Amino acid sequence: MLLREGKMREGYLVEDIQLEDSIKRRLQILGLTRGTRVEILNRKKSGTIIMKVRGTRFAAGRQVAEGILVREEQKGVQA
């Protein structure tokens, strides 16, 4: 599923990032890599998603959120 399809206050694991290389590298520098846990904190009407990654909050625009593929985190199981 795409990150933008996720529910607020739910945890997800990043499966893949399908964006142009420069954006993908920037996200990796910020700690968003394959297998990373992401929690959606808020969703704006513009499509921007506020998320928590490795203890840090940051925002991703709609186009970036559409390029991040995630899967639901299984309850009680840590990656």
Side-chain angles (χ1 to χ4, degrees), residues 4-75:
R4 70 169 180 82
E5 298 171 336
K7 297 177 185 174
M8 288 188 352
R9 301 291 176 195
E10 292 288 326
Y12 298 92
L13 297 175
V14 176
E15 288 201 321
D16 195 18
I17 299 174
Q18 298 177 346
L19 295 164
E20 60 185 71
D21 288 340
S22 62
I23 296 172
K24 187 174 183 176
R25 278 193 302 273
R26 178 67 177 145
L27 292 173
Q28 290 172 340
I29 289 168
L30 292 170
L32 190 68
T33 57
R34 182 178 239 168
T36 301
R37 183 181 188 278
V38 174
E39 181 181 351
I40 298 175
L41 300 176
N42 200 352
R43 177 180 284 111
K44 303 292 182 181
K45 290 181 182 179
S46 64
T48 300
I49 291 182
I50 311 298
M51 59 184 148
K52 186 175 182 181
V53 178
R54 299 182 190 256
T56 302
R57 292 184 213 192
F58 67 91
R62 181 179 41 84
Q63 290 179 323
V64 172
E66 288 176 355
I68 301 172
L69 286 93
V70 296
R71 65 180 163 86
E72 289 186 38
E73 180 181 43
Q74 294 178 352
K75 303 294 183 204

